[in-house]
């Protein structure tokens, strides 16, 4: 399914995309503030185990207030229960490092957008990983 099909799905029912954020850092903080201004719901924030787990995303993302969305450990997040349409992966520039996240979200039928520079031209960087990502996306009807 290409991006046009993804766009058509959102246009069809006129609902905003439900966003899952992978990585509780600066980029996803900026993105979440803009998304919330547009009325696009952030349905989950996942991060690797550490001190950010259990903290309110509103405070950590620079909103300076609690929003009732706690950062969850990526290993224990029930991806299917989030109802996410798209996962924004902002963890690493390296394609192979992000592959477990890609697998998790694509297999759950969630579109993936990645900030990592290697994800811009994955076939050039790592053809084997690029083929796996493409296959998973096609198998599950996502991008």
């Amino acid at each position: 399914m290409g991006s046009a099909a993804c766009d058509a799905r959102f246009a069809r029912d006129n609902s905003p995309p439900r966003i899952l954020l992978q990585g509780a850092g600066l980029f996803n903080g900026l993105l979440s503030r803009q998304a919330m201004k547009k009325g696009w719901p952030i349905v989950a924030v996942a991060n690797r185990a550490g001190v950010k787990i259990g903290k309110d995303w509103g405070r950590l993302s620079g909103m300076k207030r609690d929003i009732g969305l706690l950062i969850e450990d990526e290993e224990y997040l029930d991806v299917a229960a989030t109802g996410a349409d798209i996962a924004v992966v902002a963890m690493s520039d390296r394609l192979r490092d992000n592959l477990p996240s890609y697998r998790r979200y694509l297999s759950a039928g969630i579109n993936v957008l990645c900030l990592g520079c290697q994800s811009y031209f994955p076939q050039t960087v790592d053809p084997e990983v690029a083929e796996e990502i493409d296959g998973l996306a096609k198998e599950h009807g996502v991008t």
Side-chain angles (χ1 to χ4, degrees):
M1 179 183 287
S3 62
C6 180
D7 292 343
R9 179 180 55 156
F10 295 130
R12 183 175 54 242
D13 65 10
N14 206 23
S15 64
R18 295 176 307 265
I19 304 168
L20 184 158
L21 302 174
Q22 172 68 46
L26 179 64
F27 178 81
N28 275 340
L30 294 169
L31 181 126
S32 65
R33 291 194 302 275
Q34 291 301 313
M36 292 178 76
K37 283 180 186 177
K38 289 180 158 283
W40 297 354
I42 307 299
V43 297
V45 180
N47 203 62
R48 63 181 173 268
V51 297
K52 294 180 181 179
I53 302 302
K55 306 283 188 201
D56 191 280
W57 178 236
R59 298 255 175 224
L60 286 178
S61 66
M63 291 181 223
K64 300 179 183 168
R65 64 183 171 86
D66 288 346
I67 60 170
L69 183 61
L70 302 181
I71 300 169
E72 299 184 55
D73 186 319
E74 65 186 356
E75 294 297 319
Y76 301 104
L77 176 66
D78 183 355
V79 175
T82 67
D85 297 306
I86 187 166
V88 179
V89 177
M91 297 293 289
S92 171
D93 279 334
R94 296 182 45 85
L95 194 63
R96 200 168 280 275
D97 291 348
N98 290 325
L99 185 57
S101 296
Y102 300 153
R103 285 178 181 144
R104 181 179 306 119
Y105 302 130
L106 294 170
S107 295
I110 298 172
N111 294 287
V112 173
L113 173 73
C114 185
L115 169 68
C117 63
Q118 289 187 353
S119 65
Y120 295 176
F121 298 102
Q123 300 86 351
T124 304
V125 175
D126 193 331
E128 180 182 317
V129 170
E131 187 174 321
E132 180 179 347
I133 293 167
D134 188 54
L136 281 168
K138 287 176 178 171
E139 178 183 346
H140 297 283
V142 291
T143 60

